[in-house]
Amino acid sequence: MSVGIVTEQSITFDNGIKLDSGRILAPITLVFETYGSLNATASNAIMVEHAWTGDAHLAGKRNEEDTKPGWWDAIVGPGRLLDTDRYFVICSNVIGSCYGSTGPASINPKTGKRYNLTFPVVTVRDMVRAQKLLIDALGISRLLCVMGGSMGGMQALEWATQYPDSIASAIVLACTPRPSPQAIALNAVARWAIFNDPTWRKGEYKHNPKDGLALARGIGHITFLSDESMNAKFGRRFSAKDGLFDFFGQFEVERYLNYNGYNFVERFDANSFLYLAKSLDLYDVAWGYESTTEAFSRVTAPLQFFSFSSDWLYPPYQTEEMVTCLKELGKPVEYHLIKSAYGHDAFLLEHETFAPMVRDLLYRAG
Amino acid sequence: MSVGIVTEQSITFDNGIKLDSGRILAPITLVFETYGSLNATASNAIMVEHAWTGDAHLAGKRNEEDTKPGWWDAIVGPGRLLDTDRYFVICSNVIGSCYGSTGPASINPKTGKRYNLTFPVVTVRDMVRAQKLLIDALGISRLLCVMGGSMGGMQALEWATQYPDSIASAIVLACTPRPSPQAIALNAVARWAIFNDPTWRKGEYKHNPKDGLALARGIGHITFLSDESMNAKFGRRFSAKDGLFDFFGQFEVERYLNYNGYNFVERFDANSFLYLAKSLDLYDVAWGYESTTEAFSRVTAPLQFFSFSSDWLYPPYQTEEMVTCLKELGKPVEYHLIKSAYGHDAFLLEHETFAPMVRDLLYRAG
């Protein structure tokens, strides 16, 4: 069942946080949504972390007319995988984003103007620092579980290593201990596409730089899909409207990237896109430690990892490196390689496949 | 040994050719180079086909001061794999390119102006049609071998299927019977990068649109390398000049893409890049036939295929489809999967690995 109509909440921390870069970001506002009820012992809270361009609207609808539910509605609600009759589910928009939490499009109270490129570079660890303030404010000393895919998985890893006492379990999907140079390169060309757009004006735009941002998103889509899923979805079909020998004629896959690229311009801020791409590229679970082993030696909660066979952005071998390391440390770790054609996006789509394992982990953690 | 100093030649066919699109392209000029001597029976000629952004300058130097030899110098010369003491080696710049052969930057004799976007879309088959005129003019009725990687491999496939009587053997490296939608998508975003550049002006530029073309080439470089080779070459090293938390700070891999992208602008025409990207995407060995099987039923010469384990642009399974089809038809076919970390670029770098097999094929064909 759906959680029904939900209302976004927001909280502001005037003192903000000290970032990994050494800079202070203050104040910080976090936008979040919650579903279900926190129990008397505050022991049934699950934090779901969103990916790069996600938001706090995880489940339900904004109003009766809303036709599109939250981004992972399929797994949240009464009787669903994250059963809101049992669990109190929280999703908060990360700092650096553009969906209400403090980011480059926010007004800097010191200047009265948008931060734009004066916004500090934030890390995934910084995002979780801000979320820690949120759960403290909600009166939760320990999350039953923290769960996320891609950048959401990185946040779960940060909870597990930075706040081991604050979680009872973590679920990490389609993730990596640190993006490979190939993944960085793909983000780099996406950034470059925005930098090339003359309307970007080094971040001082009035309107989103549409051609550059659409192209950047188009590049992203290639990395979210797979050779296999593109074959199934588009094959080599040529647009029916175009002649095969038209210079501007398009393959269906090309139209898809264009269409989705330009749609994205309506919903996401270019500077936020750039800042979060940076957070992704800089991500390293061993940041500040001698090694991954040293970072993972801090883990106490059981970790459950999922990777997806056709994910070439954060391929399974990268998750397997983490699993091996945790096993060597004798940590409670579980790993599932899911056979899927959906590429990196699989983590959002294969929930029926991973539901039994997740349910089992939640049962054991609870 | 090097072939020494070489001089570019050129030939013009006033009547041109009828293209796959139905349009006539006339006149056609082809720029080419030759190394070694044609024997009395004209039976020792090897045609080497270049890839997307290659040229006719396969081997040797332009002059005494020239510091950079031709693009595949390592395999051409006295005593080298394509031994110019025995073979007459030809390399011709494809139509659509910008290195002397007729392409979008050529002057249209009807208007006295550059073709730019009035240039017709050309296919790989059209490129080979033009080359057939060249070998006829050189008095060669049958090539001992035609050899090429990537788009060069597609040309070799076209010789094998369209002019089966004109070749005694063919070598196809790092190729595909037809690019997958993922490969098309990666070319599509490269095209998009040029379209987005306001200085491109729908092809009517005075100066190459540098930011767009550099980015397009940067995207290309990602597809020519591999996760593995990028790891070995750059890892996650951050530029020593930049601060990790600088908004414009770059990873080494990012600098590499930038540097090579902007270098490319000095040497390649943006419209040619677009036309040849189109030729690549449209390529289908079965074009005009019911099936790949029908196309391959025309083959008579022995075919030798090489694919490279880390090539994710034209992955081994795509070559293997062709090999299986040819075997089922009972055609003389040989296949070698080379283990290499160099990605798609491996075909240019792994010549020591494939030399024995190539030498053997040439020996048998001769």
Side-chain angles (χ1 to χ4, degrees), chain A residues 72-223:
Chain A
W72 219 354
D73 187 75
I75 68 164
V76 182
R80 293 190 180 164
L81 177 57
L82 307 186
D83 186 346
T84 49
D85 288 340
R86 304 179 57 165
Y87 304 121
F88 178 63
V89 179
I90 311 162
C91 183
S92 120
N93 184 221
V94 300
I95 57 169
S97 182
C98 55
Y99 288 119
S101 293
T102 303
S106 302
I107 300 298
N108 179 350
K110 293 207 187 84
T111 63
K113 291 185 192 153
R114 282 166 57 128
Y115 282 102
N116 294 338
L117 298 201
T118 68
F119 195 76
V121 167
V122 297
T123 65
V124 175
R125 195 167 291 171
D126 292 328
M127 296 171 192
V128 173
R129 269 189 190 111
Q131 289 167 12
K132 179 66 168 66
L133 299 179
L134 172 63
I135 69 156
D136 289 348
L138 293 172
I140 299 163
S141 60
R142 195 156 178 256
L143 291 163
L144 175 66
C145 186
V146 57
M147 172 178 186
S150 195
M151 193 179 85
M154 294 171 183
Q155 292 168 71
L157 288 172
E158 289 305 302
W159 277 103
T161 53
Q162 302 308 304
Y163 305 100
D165 300 336
S166 303
I167 62 166
S169 67
I171 301 168
V172 179
L173 303 107
C175 195
T176 178
R178 57 194 67 84
S180 70
Q182 187 179 63
I184 293 170
L186 288 157
N187 277 356
V189 292
R191 274 193 279 280
W192 193 349
I194 296 172
F195 295 164
N196 273 359
D197 190 323
T199 71
W200 179 61
R201 301 170 198 277
K202 297 216 165 181
E204 295 292 326
Y205 46 84
K206 229 187 182 132
H207 303 287
N208 233 354
K210 70 182 168 60
D211 294 330
L213 183 57
L215 170 53
R217 180 64 169 182
I219 293 167
H221 272 290
I222 298 175
T223 69

Side-chain angles (χ1 to χ4, degrees), chain B residues 72 81 147-150 170-176 303-309 311 314-316 319-320 322-323 334-338 347 350-351 353-359 361:
Chain B
W72 219 355
L81 178 57
M147 173 177 184
S150 195
I171 301 168
V172 179
L173 304 107
C175 195
T176 177
L303 296 190
Q304 188 176 56
F305 288 89
F306 293 93
S307 71
F308 300 88
S309 57
D311 181 356
Y314 299 158
T319 288
E320 287 157 15
M322 295 193 276
V323 173
E334 200 185 306
Y335 172 58
H336 305 280
L337 169 60
I338 310 276
F347 82 87
E350 295 284 7
H351 52 89
T353 313
F354 61 69
M357 287 82 97
V358 167
R359 206 171 277 122
L361 183 81

Side-chain angles (χ1 to χ4, degrees), chain B residues 40-41 92 98 142 151 196 233 266 358 365:
Chain B
T41 53
S92 120
C98 54
R142 195 156 178 256
M151 193 180 83
N196 273 359
K233 205 173 171 117
E266 306 301 314
V358 167

Side-chain angles (χ1 to χ4, degrees), chain B residues 228-276:
Chain B
E228 217 174 329
S229 67
M230 282 190 169
N231 254 315
K233 205 173 171 117
F234 313 105
R236 286 177 46 90
R237 280 194 307 281
F238 208 72
S239 167
K241 302 188 314 183
D242 299 338
L244 200 59
F245 295 108
D246 291 353
F247 180 80
F248 289 105
Q250 290 188 318
F251 286 86
E252 283 293 347
V253 64
E254 199 162 357
R255 275 163 56 89
Y256 170 88
L257 297 178
N258 255 264
Y259 178 82
N260 283 284
Y262 282 100
N263 265 358
F264 183 68
V265 174
E266 306 301 314
R267 75 166 181 89
F268 211 83
D269 174 61
N271 287 341
S272 267
F273 184 90
L274 292 167
Y275 273 92
L276 296 182

Side-chain angles (χ1 to χ4, degrees), chain A residues 17-25 95 120-122 126 129:
Chain A
I17 55 172
K18 188 173 175 197
L19 303 169
D20 274 338
S21 65
R23 287 176 65 179
I24 305 286
L25 181 63
I95 57 169
V121 167
V122 297
D126 292 328
R129 269 189 190 111

Side-chain angles (χ1 to χ4, degrees), chain A residues 48-79:
Chain A
V48 178
E49 308 285 11
H50 70 72
W52 194 353
T53 62
D55 59 18
H57 186 44
L58 173 66
K61 300 192 167 188
R62 307 259 193 220
N63 53 57
E64 291 295 349
E65 288 71 43
D66 196 353
T67 53
K68 222 182 143 220
W71 58 271
W72 219 354
D73 187 75
I75 68 164
V76 182

Side-chain angles (χ1 to χ4, degrees), chain A residues 20-22 117 119-123 126 178-198 200 202 211-212 214-216 218-219 222 225-227 230-232 234-236 238 243-251 253-254 257-259 261-262 271 274-275 278 280-284 287 312 315 317-318, chain B residues 20-22 117 119-123 126 178-198 200 202 211-212 214-216 218-219 222 225-227 230-232 234-236 238 243-251 253-254 257-259 261-262 271 274-275 278 280-284 287 312 315 317-318:
Chain A
D20 274 338
S21 65
L117 298 201
F119 195 76
V121 167
V122 297
T123 65
D126 292 328
R178 57 194 67 84
S180 70
Q182 187 179 63
I184 293 170
L186 288 157
N187 277 356
V189 292
R191 274 193 279 280
W192 193 349
I194 296 172
F195 295 164
N196 273 359
D197 190 323
W200 179 61
K202 297 216 165 181
D211 294 330
L215 170 53
I219 293 167
I222 298 175
L225 301 174
S226 73
D227 186 25
M230 281 189 171
N231 253 315
F234 313 106
R236 285 177 46 89
F238 208 72
L244 200 57
F245 295 107
D246 291 354
F247 180 81
F248 289 105
Q250 291 189 318
F251 285 86
V253 64
E254 200 162 357
L257 298 178
N258 252 265
Y259 178 82
Y262 282 99
N271 288 340
L274 292 167
Y275 273 91
K278 191 100 192 160
L280 285 165
D281 290 351
L282 289 177
Y283 185 68
D284 187 342
W287 168 257
W312 63 281
Y317 80 84
Q318 295 176 10
Chain B
D20 273 339
S21 65
L117 297 202
F119 194 75
V121 167
V122 296
T123 64
D126 293 328
R178 57 194 67 86
S180 70
Q182 187 179 62
I184 293 171
L186 289 156
N187 278 356
V189 290
R191 274 193 279 279
W192 192 349
I194 297 173
F195 296 164
N196 273 359
D197 190 323
W200 178 61
K202 297 218 165 177
D211 294 330
L215 170 52
I219 294 168
I222 299 175
L225 301 174
S226 73
D227 186 26
M230 282 190 169
N231 254 315
F234 313 105
R236 286 177 46 90
F238 208 72
L244 200 59
F245 295 108
D246 291 353
F247 180 80
F248 289 105
Q250 290 188 318
F251 286 86
V253 64
E254 199 162 357
L257 297 178
N258 255 264
Y259 178 82
Y262 282 100
N271 287 341
L274 292 167
Y275 273 92
K278 192 97 191 164
L280 286 165
D281 291 351
L282 288 177
Y283 185 68
D284 187 340
W287 168 256
W312 63 281
Y317 80 84
Q318 294 176 11

